[in-house]
Coordinates of all heavy atoms in Angstrom, one line a residue:
L1378 N 105.5 130.1 88.2 CA 104.7 131.0 87.6 C 105.0 130.9 86.1 O 105.9 130.6 85.6 CB 104.9 132.4 88.1 CG 104.8 132.7 89.5 CD1 105.1 134.1 89.9 CD2 103.4 132.4 90.0
A1379 N 103.9 131.3 85.3 CA 104.0 131.4 84.0 C 104.6 132.6 83.4 O 104.0 133.5 82.8 CB 102.6 131.1 83.2
H1380 N 106.0 132.7 83.7 CA 106.5 134.0 83.4 C 106.7 134.3 81.9 O 107.0 133.3 81.1 CB 108.1 133.9 83.9 CG 108.1 133.8 85.4 ND1 107.6 134.8 86.3 CD2 108.6 132.9 86.1 CE1 108.0 134.4 87.5 NE2 108.5 133.2 87.4
P1381 N 106.4 135.4 81.4 CA 106.5 135.7 79.9 C 108.0 135.4 79.5 O 108.1 134.9 78.2 CB 106.3 137.2 79.9 CG 105.4 137.5 81.1 CD 106.0 136.7 82.1
W1382 N 109.0 135.6 80.3 CA 110.3 135.4 79.8 C 110.7 133.9 79.6 O 111.8 133.5 79.1 CB 111.4 136.1 80.7 CG 111.4 135.7 82.2 CD1 111.9 134.7 82.8 CD2 110.5 136.4 83.1 NE1 111.6 134.7 84.1 CE2 110.8 135.8 84.4 CE3 109.7 137.5 83.1 CZ2 110.1 136.2 85.5 CZ3 109.1 138.0 84.2 CH2 109.4 137.4 85.3
E1383 N 109.7 133.1 80.0 CA 110.0 131.6 79.8 C 108.8 131.1 78.8 O 108.8 129.9 78.7 CB 109.8 130.9 81.3 CG 111.0 131.1 82.1 CD 110.8 130.5 83.5 OE1 109.6 130.5 83.9 OE2 111.8 130.2 84.2
N1384 N 108.1 132.1 78.3 CA 107.1 131.7 77.2 C 107.3 132.4 76.0 O 106.3 132.9 75.4 CB 105.7 131.9 77.8 CG 105.2 130.6 78.5 OD1 105.2 129.5 78.0 ND2 104.9 130.7 79.8
N1385 N 108.5 132.7 75.6 CA 108.8 133.5 74.4 C 108.2 134.8 74.4 O 107.8 135.3 73.5 CB 108.4 132.7 73.1 CG 109.1 131.3 72.9 OD1 110.3 131.3 73.2 ND2 108.4 130.3 72.6
G1386 N 108.2 135.4 75.6 CA 107.6 136.8 75.7 C 106.1 136.9 75.9 O 105.5 137.9 76.0
K1387 N 105.6 135.6 75.7 CA 104.1 135.7 75.8 C 103.4 135.7 77.2 O 104.0 135.0 78.1 CB 103.6 134.4 75.1 CG 102.0 134.3 75.2 CD 101.5 133.0 74.4 CE 100.1 133.0 74.5 NZ 99.5 131.6 73.9
L1388 N 102.6 136.7 77.5 CA 101.9 136.7 78.8 C 100.8 135.6 78.8 O 100.1 135.4 77.8 CB 101.3 138.1 79.0 CG 100.7 138.5 80.4 CD1 101.7 138.4 81.6 CD2 100.0 139.8 80.3
Y1389 N 100.6 135.0 80.0 CA 99.6 134.0 80.2 C 99.8 132.8 79.3 O 98.9 132.4 78.6 CB 98.2 134.7 80.0 CG 97.9 135.8 80.8 CD1 97.3 137.0 80.3 CD2 98.3 136.0 82.1 CE1 97.0 138.1 81.0 CE2 98.1 137.1 83.0 CZ 97.5 138.1 82.3 OH 97.2 139.4 83.0
G1390 N 101.0 132.4 79.2 CA 101.3 131.1 78.4 C 101.1 129.9 79.3 O 100.2 129.7 80.1
A1391 N 102.1 128.9 79.1 CA 101.9 127.7 79.8 C 102.8 127.7 81.1 O 103.7 128.5 81.3 CB 102.5 126.5 79.0
P1392 N 102.3 126.9 82.1 CA 103.1 126.9 83.4 C 104.5 126.4 82.9 O 104.6 125.4 82.1 CB 102.4 125.8 84.2 CG 101.0 125.9 83.7 CD 101.1 126.2 82.3
T1393 N 105.5 126.9 83.5 CA 106.9 126.5 83.2 C 107.7 125.5 83.9 O 108.5 124.8 83.4 CB 107.7 127.9 83.2 OG1 107.6 128.5 84.4 CG2 107.2 128.9 82.1
S1394 N 107.4 125.4 85.2 CA 108.1 124.4 85.9 C 107.5 123.0 86.0 O 108.1 121.9 86.2 CB 108.3 124.9 87.4 OG 107.1 125.0 88.0
Y1395 N 106.1 123.0 85.7 CA 105.5 121.6 85.7 C 104.0 121.9 85.2 O 103.8 123.0 84.8 CB 105.5 121.2 87.2 CG 105.1 119.7 87.4 CD1 105.6 118.7 86.7 CD2 104.0 119.5 88.3 CE1 105.2 117.4 86.8 CE2 103.6 118.2 88.5 CZ 104.2 117.0 87.8 OH 103.8 115.9 88.0
G1396 N 103.2 121.0 85.3 CA 101.8 121.1 84.9 C 101.0 121.8 86.0 O 101.4 122.2 87.1
A1397 N 99.8 122.2 85.7 CA 98.9 122.9 86.5 C 98.8 122.1 87.9 O 98.8 120.9 87.9 CB 97.5 123.1 86.0
M1398 N 98.7 122.8 89.0 CA 98.4 122.1 90.4 C 97.2 123.0 90.9 O 97.4 124.1 91.3 CB 99.6 122.3 91.2 CG 100.8 121.4 90.8 SD 102.0 121.1 92.0 CE 102.4 122.8 92.4
N1399 N 96.1 122.3 91.1 CA 95.0 123.0 91.6 C 95.0 123.4 93.1 O 94.4 124.3 93.5 CB 93.7 122.2 91.3 CG 93.4 122.3 89.8 OD1 93.5 123.2 89.1 ND2 92.9 121.1 89.4
Q1400 N 95.8 122.6 93.8 CA 95.8 123.0 95.4 C 96.5 124.3 95.6 O 95.7 125.2 96.3 CB 96.7 121.8 95.9 CG 96.7 121.9 97.6 CD 95.5 122.1 98.2 OE1 95.0 123.1 98.7 NE2 94.8 120.9 98.5
P1401 N 97.7 124.7 95.2 CA 98.1 125.9 95.4 C 97.3 127.1 94.5 O 97.2 128.2 94.9 CB 99.5 126.0 95.0 CG 99.7 124.8 94.1 CD 98.6 123.8 94.5
G1402 N 96.8 126.6 93.5 CA 96.0 127.6 92.7 C 94.8 128.1 93.3 O 94.5 129.3 93.1
I1403 N 94.1 127.3 94.0 CA 93.0 127.7 94.8 C 93.3 128.7 95.8 O 92.7 129.8 96.0 CB 92.2 126.6 95.4 CG1 91.7 125.6 94.3 CG2 90.9 127.1 96.2 CD1 91.1 124.3 94.9
T1404 N 94.5 128.4 96.6 CA 95.0 129.4 97.6 C 95.4 130.7 97.0 O 95.1 131.8 97.5 CB 96.1 128.8 98.4 OG1 95.8 127.5 98.8 CG2 96.3 129.5 99.6
L1405 N 96.0 130.7 95.9 CA 96.5 131.9 95.2 C 95.3 132.7 94.7 O 95.3 133.9 94.9 CB 97.3 131.5 93.9 CG 98.7 130.9 94.2 CD1 99.2 130.1 92.9 CD2 99.6 132.0 94.5
T1406 N 94.2 132.0 94.3 CA 93.0 132.9 93.9 C 92.3 133.4 95.1 O 91.9 134.6 95.1 CB 92.1 131.8 93.1 OG1 92.8 131.1 92.1 CG2 90.9 132.5 92.5
V1407 N 92.2 132.7 96.1 CA 91.7 133.2 97.4 C 92.5 134.4 97.9 O 91.8 135.5 98.3 CB 91.5 132.1 98.5 CG1 91.2 132.8 99.9 CG2 90.6 131.1 98.3
G1408 N 93.8 134.4 97.8 CA 94.5 135.6 98.1 C 94.3 136.8 97.2 O 94.4 138.0 97.7
L1409 N 94.1 136.6 96.0 CA 93.7 137.6 95.1 C 92.4 138.2 95.5 O 92.2 139.4 95.3 CB 93.7 137.2 93.6 CG 95.1 136.8 93.1 CD1 95.1 136.3 91.7 CD2 96.2 137.8 93.2
I1410 N 91.4 137.4 95.8 CA 90.0 137.9 96.1 C 90.2 138.8 97.4 O 89.6 139.9 97.5 CB 89.0 136.7 96.3 CG1 89.0 136.1 95.0 CG2 87.8 137.2 96.9 CD1 88.2 134.6 95.3
L1411 N 91.0 138.3 98.3 CA 91.2 139.0 99.5 C 92.0 140.4 99.3 O 91.8 141.3 99.9 CB 91.8 138.2 100.6 CG 91.0 137.0 101.0 CD1 91.8 136.2 102.2 CD2 89.7 137.4 101.6
A1412 N 92.9 140.3 98.4 CA 93.6 141.6 98.0 C 92.7 142.6 97.4 O 92.9 143.8 97.8 CB 94.6 141.2 96.9
Q1413 N 91.7 142.2 96.7 CA 90.6 143.1 96.2 C 90.0 143.8 97.5 O 89.7 145.0 97.4 CB 89.6 142.5 95.3 CG 90.2 142.2 94.0 CD 89.2 141.5 93.0 OE1 88.3 140.8 93.5 NE2 89.3 142.0 91.8
K1414 N 89.7 142.9 98.5 CA 89.1 143.4 99.7 C 89.9 144.5 100.4 O 89.5 145.3 101.2 CB 88.6 142.3 100.6 CG 87.5 141.4 99.9 CD 87.0 140.3 101.0 CE 86.0 139.4 100.3 NZ 84.7 140.1 100.0
C1415 N 91.3 144.2 100.2 CA 92.2 145.2 100.8 C 92.4 146.6 100.1 O 93.1 147.4 100.4 CB 93.6 144.6 100.9 SG 93.8 143.1 101.9
G1416 N 91.6 146.6 99.0 CA 91.7 147.9 98.1 C 92.7 147.7 97.0 O 92.9 148.7 96.4
I1417 N 93.3 146.5 96.8 CA 94.2 146.4 95.8 C 93.6 145.7 94.6 O 93.2 144.5 94.7 CB 95.5 145.6 96.2 CG1 96.1 146.4 97.4 CG2 96.4 145.2 95.2 CD1 97.2 145.7 98.2
D1418 N 93.7 146.3 93.4 CA 93.0 145.6 92.3 C 94.0 146.2 91.1 O 94.6 147.2 91.0 CB 91.7 146.1 92.2 CG 90.7 145.1 91.4 OD1 91.3 144.2 90.9 OD2 89.5 145.3 91.3
S1419 N 93.6 145.4 89.9 CA 94.2 145.7 88.7 C 93.5 144.9 87.6 O 92.8 143.8 88.0 CB 95.6 145.4 88.6 OG 95.9 144.0 88.6

Side-chain angles (χ1 to χ4, degrees):
L1378 302 174
H1380 298 297
W1382 53 89
E1383 294 174 328
N1384 271 302
N1385 298 319
K1387 180 182 178 182
L1388 187 62
Y1389 308 138
T1393 52
S1394 60
Y1395 192 53
M1398 294 196 302
N1399 291 320
Q1400 179 59 259
I1403 300 172
T1404 314
L1405 289 163
T1406 309
V1407 168
L1409 294 179
I1410 295 169
L1411 296 181
Q1413 288 184 322
K1414 294 183 182 296
C1415 294
I1417 294 168
D1418 205 359
S1419 69

